[in-house]
Amino acid sequence: MASDNLLQPPDKFKFPFPPYDIQEQFMTELFQVLEGGKLGIFESPTGTGKSLSLICGALTWFLESEKQKRIKLEELVNDKTVDDDDDDDWFAAAGKKQEYNQKRLEAKEELERIKVKDEKLAKIKAKRSQLKQTDIEQNKDEFNELFKEVKWMQKAVQRELSQGAGDEDILVEEYFSDEEVDDDYEADEEDTSRRIFFCSRTHSQLSQFVREVKKSPFGSDVSLVSLASRAVMCVNPSVKKLPSQAAINEKCLELGKKKSKPTALDEDENPTKKSKSGGCGCPYNKNTGTAVLRDQAILAIHDIEDLVAAGRKTQSCPYYASRSAVPLAQMVVLPYNTLLHAGTRKAIGLNLKNSIVIIDEAHNLLDTITNIHSVNISGAQLGLAYSQLAQYREKYSTRLKAKNILYIKQLLFILSSFIKMLGGIPGKDPAEVTNQGAKEETSLIEVADFLSESQIYNLSLFRLIKYCNVSQICHKLKGFVEKYQPSASVTNSKPVKSGVGTFLSSINKTEKKEEAVVPDNNENRPPSNSLQSLVELLSSLSMNHGEARMVLTKGSKLTAGRIRFLLLDPANQFQQIVREAHSVVVAGGTMRPIAEFRDQLFVSAGADPSRVTHFSCDHVVPGENMLPLVMSSGPSGSRLDFSFQFRDKKETLDELGRVLINIVNIVPGGIVVFFPSYDYEKLVSKHLEASGVLARIEAKKKIFREPKTSSELDKVLGDFATAVRLSTGAVLLAVVGGKMSEGINFSDNLGRCVVMVGMPYPNLYSPELKEKMNFLNKTVGSVDGKQAGQVHYENLCMKAVNQSVGRAIRHKGDYAAILFVDHRYSRPNIISQLPGWISKHLRVVDKFGPTIPQIRKFFREKE
C-alpha cells in the first residue's frame, strides 16, 4: 500500500525546550499534512508557541524528506538489475525496460542537480574561509575607482550640456517590437528544488521568525534567506532618502540598467582603466560585493536587519544579494506581496513547484489577496499624466522614432478615454470644474463593458505594457517633469523650449517656470510619476483576473474622480500556488470562520475538498486566567446598544461613560478600549470630555488616544507603557482595524483589561462591499441557511473583533478581563464566531450590578 511508504512523525520532535502537549499535537499534524501534500488550516492562539511549532514541525519533515528522497534516487540509479520476465511478450517487456531506464535517467539527472548545488555551497564555504584582508583592500580600491568614474561622468554631462547635446537621459531609445527582434538568450533550466517559503504580514514579524529559526535546534542545519522590498533593503543613501517606495523602485531600476560608457577620465581628464563594475550605475550593486554578501547570507542565518547592516559595512546591495541567494536556500522568508502576486514572483524568479508554502498571520488572507491585486488611479493622476506626456511628445516629436510615437499615442488615447469617462476634459487643468453642481457618485461596471466604453478593447495591452517596461517611458517622463516642470494643462501651457538656451536659462532663472497645479490637500496630491499608476492599472486589466469590476467615482472636477480595479475572486489569483506547491499551510492565532478559508480560498482555487485539513488547539493559558464577559446593560439599567441608529444618542454615550468610570476604578494596570472606527472614537472622546467623564477617568489613570499617523505610534505606545509602569495604570483608546488592533502586544500589566465597544460592522452601503456580497451569493450560495454575502458581512466584523481581543493574554502566566460592551455579543451566532478559548469561558451578564463584583474578585485573586 502507498501509505506504507509515508514518512511517520517522530516520537519526539527536536525543540528548544520541552514542548507543551498542544505543541506536540501541532507539529505531528503539520508533519502529516506536509507528508500527504495537503492544504492545512492551522489555528493556534498567541502564546502557544505557534512560530516555533511551525519551524520545528516543518523542518523535521523537510530534512527527513530530502534525506529519504536522496537515498531513493541513489538506490534507483545504482540498481542495474532488470527483471527477466518469463513472459513471451517480448514487446511489452521491452516497453517496461525502456520505462524503467527512463526513470533511472531522470533520477540520475535530479541527483546530479542536488550534487551540483551541494558543491556550490561547499565552494562558497571554502571561499569564505580563505577571504583575507587583501581581498577587502582590493574591493575598496574598486569602489574608489568607481567613484572616480562617477565623478568623471558628472563632468562629461556638464560638457555635453554646454555643447548643446542634452536630454539623452530623458529621450526614449529606439524600440523594437517582439516581431522584429527575438530574445537572444536561452531560458535558464527550471529550478524545481523543494524549498519552504514562509511569509508573514510585516517585516518585523519576518525578522522575529528568523530569530526563532536561529534559536531552534535547526539553526545550523538549514540555509535560509530573507527577502524584502527595495525600500527596506536599500543601502544607497541617495536612493534611500527618496520619499516613496515607488520612487525608490524607479531609481533602483534606472541605476541598474546597464549602459555602455566611454572611456573614463581622471580628475585631470586623462584616460583611466575601466571599472570592472559591470557597467552598473549604482556603486553598491557591484558583482563582486554582491556575491560576497550573497555567500554571507547563505552560510549563516541572517534576518533583514543583519543583511542591511552587512550591506552598509561592505558597501554591497542586500536586495540583489538576497535575490541571488534564493537558488541555494532551503528556506525563503518573504513578505505577503512578494509571494501572493504572480507578477512579482515571476520578476524575482520564485518557483513554487514542489515546494512548501507557509503563510502566517493568515486571518485576513482573502482580503490581502484582493487588496494586492486591486489598483487605483485618481483623476488628478490621469490629468497630469496626459498633460505631461502630451508636452513630452510635443517637445521631442522630431527626435522620437516612429515606434515610440505610435505607443505614446496609444497611451495618450487611453488617458484621454479614461479622463472622459470621469467627466473631465483631456488637456485641461484637473482642478478645474467641468461638471458644475455635479455630486460625487460611484458606479461599478463589468471589466468587458469598461474596455468597450473606453474604446481600448482593440488595443494590445500586453504589447503596450511591455513597451512601457522595456523603454522605461515612465522613468523618462519623470525625468522630463523634474527638469522642465511642465504645466498641469496642455491648452494653457507655453511651448516648451529646448536646447542649450533652456538649460542656461534654467540655471540663471531668467525664464519664469510654469506653475504646477497644487491639489486641494496633501492626501490627494498625485505622485510625480503618474504614468506608472496607469501602467499598473493596465497590467491588472490584462491579467487573467477572474471575476472583477471597475469602480468609477465622478465629481464636479477631475481631481474628485477615481478609477479602481476591484478583484472579487481572490481564489483565482491563489490557484497557481495551490496547483504548483506540494503543500500549502495557512496559520494564525484565530482562523475563524474555517469554512471561509476552505470554501472561498482552497476549494474555489480548484482544490479537492478531501485535500483540505484543519487543526485547532486550545490556549495554554488556564481558564481561571481570563474573564470574558458580555455586558448587556449599563449602570442605570439602559440597554447597551451601539448599532448605527443608537450609538450617537446622548443616552448611549452617557451610559458608556458610566461603564468606563466603573471599570477604571477596579481594574489595575493598563486598559485598552477598542472603538469601531476613528470617527466614533473621536465622537465619544469629545462627548466624554464635555461631560467631565474624561477628567474623572484621568484622576485615576492617564488617557492616551491612538494616533492616525504611523510616525506617532511608537511615541504613544512608549508613553502609555511608561504611565502603566510608573503609576496606577493608563487607558488607551484604540480603533478596531487600526494600527493597534494587530501586531501589538499588550501583555501583562499593559493589558489587564480589553474593552470592546460595539461591533465594527463595515459600511453596508459601500458599492464595493455590495458587489462582493452579490458575487458570493451567486458563486457560493447559502451557508448554514444564510446567504453567503450576509455571512461574509458578519465575518468581516467578527474577524476584526477576534484580532483586537487577542492583543491581551500573550503567554501562559498572563491574565486579563475581556469585556464585550454591547448586548448583541450575547447572541448565539456571535458567540460561536469568537475563538474557542474565549467562548467556552464567556459569561453573559444581563444586569450591570453583578458585573463589578465579578471583575473585582477576579483581580483580587491574582494579587
Side-chain angles (χ1 to χ4, degrees):
M1 298 242 340
S3 59
D4 294 338
N5 297 322
L6 291 177
L7 291 176
Q8 297 303 313
D11 293 331
K12 281 194 173 181
F13 284 88
K14 285 184 181 179
F15 213 72
F17 49 82
Y20 304 134
D21 289 344
I22 56 172
Q23 290 174 324
E24 287 272 12
Q25 294 163 17
F26 187 107
M27 291 185 286
T28 299
E29 183 70 21
L30 179 61
F31 189 102
Q32 291 169 343
V33 165
L34 299 182
E35 177 61 16
K38 294 191 173 185
L39 308 169
I41 303 168
F42 281 73
E43 189 176 35
S44 179
T46 303
T48 54
K50 169 168 57 73
S51 295
L52 264 178
S53 300
L54 281 169
I55 290 165
C56 295
L59 286 176
T60 298
W61 175 84
F62 178 82
L63 295 175
E64 183 61 28
S65 174
E66 291 296 285
K67 178 184 169 185
Q68 292 299 321
K69 176 183 173 184
R70 186 162 187 164
I71 290 171
K72 287 177 182 176
L73 288 172
E74 287 172 346
E75 286 176 353
L76 185 56
V77 169
N78 295 327
D79 183 14
K80 297 179 181 177
T81 61
V82 180
D83 292 337
D84 293 325
D85 280 336
D86 297 332
D87 198 341
D88 294 335
D89 190 349
W90 62 268
F91 187 79
K96 284 182 183 177
K97 184 176 180 181
Q98 186 177 0
E99 186 181 333
Y100 181 76
N101 287 338
Q102 180 64 29
K103 282 183 181 177
R104 283 187 61 210
L105 180 63
E106 289 171 0
K108 187 177 180 182
E109 288 172 352
E110 188 163 357
L111 201 56
E112 192 60 37
R113 283 194 291 270
I114 293 170
K115 286 179 179 176
V116 167
K117 188 174 175 180
D118 289 347
E119 286 169 6
K120 280 183 182 177
L121 282 170
K123 197 180 289 184
I124 288 171
K125 287 177 183 175
K127 192 167 86 175
R128 286 290 297 165
S129 63
Q130 293 166 6
L131 188 65
K132 296 177 183 175
Q133 188 64 31
T134 51
D135 299 323
I136 296 168
E137 294 300 325
Q138 185 181 347
N139 285 341
K140 284 183 180 176
D141 292 341
E142 287 182 4
F143 279 121
N144 291 336
E145 188 180 317
L146 179 63
F147 284 122
K148 274 188 180 178
E149 185 173 345
V150 170
K151 196 170 182 181
W152 165 81
M153 286 171 67
Q154 290 172 337
K155 285 190 174 184
V157 169
Q158 295 290 344
R159 280 200 309 277
E160 285 184 13
L161 287 171
S162 65
Q163 293 163 8
D167 289 3
E168 275 75 12
D169 56 334
I170 296 174
L171 197 66
V172 285
E173 298 169 4
E174 187 170 4
Y175 179 73
F176 298 97
S177 67
D178 310 38
E179 292 83 9
E180 292 163 337
V181 173
D182 292 326
D183 292 336
D184 57 355
Y185 64 88
E186 292 182 10
D188 292 335
E189 184 181 353
E190 186 178 36
D191 179 13
T192 56
S193 304
R194 178 171 286 165
R195 293 183 183 85
I196 296 176
F197 290 94
F198 177 91
C199 80
S200 193
R201 195 170 54 88
T202 66
H203 290 301
S204 60
Q205 287 168 342
L206 293 173
S207 292
Q208 177 62 33
F209 178 82
V210 172
R211 288 193 287 273
E212 296 274 14
V213 176
K214 264 186 188 177
K215 291 189 296 183
S216 78
F218 302 92
S220 58
D221 299 335
V222 66
S223 55
L224 178 150
V225 65
S226 297
L227 298 181
S229 64
R230 288 179 172 89
V232 172
M233 299 193 95
C234 180
V235 293
N236 185 336
S238 63
V239 178
K240 183 77 173 175
K241 69 180 181 183
L242 293 173
S244 68
Q245 183 162 325
I248 291 171
N249 289 343
E250 289 163 11
K251 191 65 179 175
C252 178
L253 291 168
E254 186 183 323
L255 290 174
K257 191 179 181 188
K258 294 184 178 180
K259 299 176 182 178
S260 57
K261 291 187 280 219
T263 305
L265 307 176
D266 62 18
E267 292 183 4
D268 300 319
E269 306 205 359
N270 296 319
T272 64
K273 183 181 175 184
K274 278 195 176 182
S275 168
K276 295 178 182 178
S277 64
C280 183
C282 180
Y284 293 83
N285 187 10
K286 290 183 60 183
N287 293 337
T288 49
T290 303
V292 169
L293 191 56
R294 176 207 64 196
D295 297 350
Q296 196 173 329
I298 279 295
L299 292 180
I301 292 177
H302 299 280
D303 61 23
I304 296 161
E305 288 78 9
D306 293 336
L307 279 176
V308 170
R312 287 199 184 101
K313 189 175 179 181
T314 60
Q315 294 191 315
S316 307
C317 178
Y319 177 76
Y320 283 105
S322 60
R323 278 179 59 170
S324 62
V326 169
L328 297 171
Q330 294 170 305
M331 179 177 265
V332 180
V333 178
L334 68 170
Y336 274 174
N337 294 25
T338 308
L339 180 87
L340 298 174
H341 193 275
T344 306
R345 289 200 303 271
K346 186 177 180 183
I348 292 178
L350 298 182
N351 191 337
L352 303 184
K353 284 183 181 175
N354 202 34
S355 287
I356 307 301
V357 174
I358 299 175
I359 303 173
D360 197 14
E361 300 298 328
H363 51 274
N364 281 332
L365 185 58
L366 286 160
D367 294 333
T368 301
I369 297 171
T370 298
N371 293 334
I372 287 172
H373 293 88
S374 297
V375 180
N376 284 303
I377 186 166
S378 68
Q381 287 174 304
L382 289 169
L384 283 184
Y386 181 87
S387 62
Q388 291 165 359
L389 192 60
Q391 290 171 77
Y392 179 90
R393 183 188 65 171
E394 182 68 26
K395 177 172 174 62
Y396 300 116
S397 58
T398 58
R399 298 174 67 183
L400 289 168
K401 301 294 182 182
K403 190 72 73 173
N404 285 316
I405 291 175
L406 171 68
Y407 282 117
I408 288 174
K409 278 184 175 178
Q410 287 186 14
L411 288 169
L412 285 169
F413 174 77
I414 292 171
L415 286 164
S416 172
S417 298
F418 289 0
I419 289 169
K420 289 174 184 175
M421 289 185 79
L422 294 181
I425 300 172
K428 276 214 167 192
D429 189 331
E432 281 187 29
V433 175
T434 52
N435 297 297
Q436 193 71 41
K439 291 183 179 179
E440 186 174 304
E441 58 178 30
T442 300
S443 59
L444 284 88
I445 60 174
E446 299 271 356
V447 174
D449 294 338
F450 176 82
L451 294 173
S452 176
E453 193 176 327
S454 62
Q455 298 182 325
I456 66 170
Y457 60 89
N458 57 349
L459 295 177
S460 175
L461 295 183
F462 285 107
R463 287 187 189 171
L464 186 57
I465 293 162
K466 183 177 179 182
Y467 166 77
C468 293
N469 292 334
V470 173
S471 69
Q472 291 192 310
I473 180 68
C474 298
H475 308 313
K476 305 287 185 181
L477 184 63
K478 183 170 178 283
F480 170 75
V481 171
E482 288 173 350
K483 184 169 183 179
Y484 294 107
Q485 296 187 6
S487 67
S489 62
V490 178
T491 51
N492 299 327
S493 65
K494 298 175 184 176
V496 184
K497 297 181 181 179
S498 60
V500 186
T502 302
F503 177 70
L504 295 175
S505 63
S506 68
I507 292 177
N508 298 320
K509 298 183 180 177
T510 57
E511 179 180 86
K512 185 179 178 181
K513 291 180 181 177
E514 293 286 349
E515 289 186 6
V517 168
V518 180
D520 296 340
N521 56 56
N522 289 334
E523 289 180 6
N524 293 327
R525 183 170 297 158
S528 58
N529 196 344
S530 299
L531 188 61
Q532 185 63 45
S533 299
L534 176 72
V535 175
E536 289 171 6
L537 180 63
L538 295 179
S539 297
S540 295
L541 287 169
S542 63
M543 73 179 181
N544 178 20
H545 47 65
E547 281 286 336
R549 298 288 183 272
M550 300 304 296
V551 186
L552 274 66
T553 302
K554 302 177 186 178
S556 60
K557 49 190 177 181
L558 186 57
T559 49
R562 181 171 295 275
I563 296 176
R564 185 182 183 209
F565 173 87
L566 174 66
L567 184 72
L568 292 176
D569 183 13
N572 183 271
Q573 299 304 312
F574 199 66
Q575 63 182 356
Q576 185 185 11
I577 297 175
V578 171
R579 186 175 63 247
E580 293 186 353
H582 170 77
S583 185
V584 180
V585 172
V586 294
T590 172
M591 299 295 286
R592 302 296 171 96
I594 301 300
E596 185 177 80
F597 286 93
R598 184 191 64 232
D599 299 336
Q600 294 182 37
L601 189 67
F602 289 132
V603 176
S604 294
D608 189 312
S610 63
R611 195 183 166 200
V612 184
T613 184
H614 164 236
F615 173 83
S616 182
C617 65
D618 204 353
H619 210 301
V620 291
V621 176
E624 60 267 21
N625 277 20
M626 63 184 83
L627 180 65
L629 296 174
V630 174
M631 293 184 174
S632 299
S633 58
S636 71
S638 299
R639 190 168 73 160
L640 292 168
D641 188 341
F642 292 89
S643 55
F644 187 75
Q645 60 265 43
F646 295 111
R647 66 182 183 183
D648 294 350
K649 291 184 179 294
K650 181 179 181 299
E651 297 81 8
T652 305
L653 297 171
D654 287 341
E655 195 74 340
L656 175 61
R658 288 189 280 269
V659 169
L660 292 177
I661 288 172
N662 275 276
I663 293 170
V664 166
N665 284 332
I666 58 173
V667 173
I671 300 173
V672 185
V673 184
F674 283 104
F675 293 93
S677 67
Y678 283 104
D679 287 341
Y680 193 62
E681 185 273 336
K682 185 178 178 182
L683 175 76
V684 171
S685 296
K686 188 176 178 182
H687 178 84
L688 296 184
E689 185 176 21
S691 62
V693 171
L694 284 192
R696 291 176 63 186
I697 292 174
E698 283 226 85
K700 191 80 176 177
K701 294 178 187 285
K702 193 170 181 183
I703 297 174
F704 297 87
R705 295 174 64 188
E706 177 175 328
K708 278 195 173 183
T709 58
S710 301
S711 57
E712 300 173 83
L713 185 64
D714 288 342
K715 184 180 186 308
V716 171
L717 285 172
D719 292 345
F720 171 73
T722 302
V724 170
R725 190 174 69 252
L726 300 179
S727 66
T728 55
V731 177
L732 178 61
L733 306 182
V735 176
V736 175
K739 299 166 188 65
M740 294 184 181
S741 63
E742 287 191 43
I744 306 290
N745 294 346
F746 295 105
S747 59
D748 299 317
N749 231 25
L750 289 177
R752 287 299 177 214
C753 181
V754 172
V755 181
M756 285 295 308
V757 177
M759 301 188 72
Y761 283 108
N763 179 11
L764 190 54
Y765 298 101
S766 159
E768 290 97 329
L769 178 58
K770 277 186 173 180
E771 195 68 22
K772 176 73 175 182
M773 289 170 68
N774 290 336
F775 166 73
L776 291 172
N777 289 339
K778 289 175 188 174
T779 55
V780 179
S782 63
V783 179
D784 296 330
K786 280 187 181 178
Q787 286 278 30
Q790 180 65 26
V791 172
H792 171 71
Y793 176 68
E794 293 174 3
N795 288 346
L796 288 174
C797 169
M798 292 310 298
K799 282 195 286 187
V801 168
N802 292 341
Q803 279 305 304
S804 299
V805 297
R807 297 308 90 211
I809 315 182
R810 307 296 292 183
H811 58 84
K812 191 174 183 179
D814 206 354
Y815 61 92
I818 302 170
L819 309 180
F820 298 96
V821 183
D822 194 311
H823 78 98
R824 291 174 293 173
Y825 282 108
S826 63
R827 295 172 182 169
N829 65 312
I830 299 297
I831 294 174
S832 68
Q833 293 186 63
L834 291 170
W837 59 274
I838 290 179
S839 62
K840 70 180 182 181
H841 299 291
L842 187 71
R843 304 178 200 174
V844 178
V845 186
D846 293 327
K847 294 184 179 180
F848 187 80
T851 306
I852 298 304
Q854 287 186 50
I855 298 173
R856 185 181 285 117
K857 181 186 176 188
F858 174 77
F859 285 109
R860 276 183 179 168
E861 289 175 351
K862 304 302 173 193
E863 290 176 357

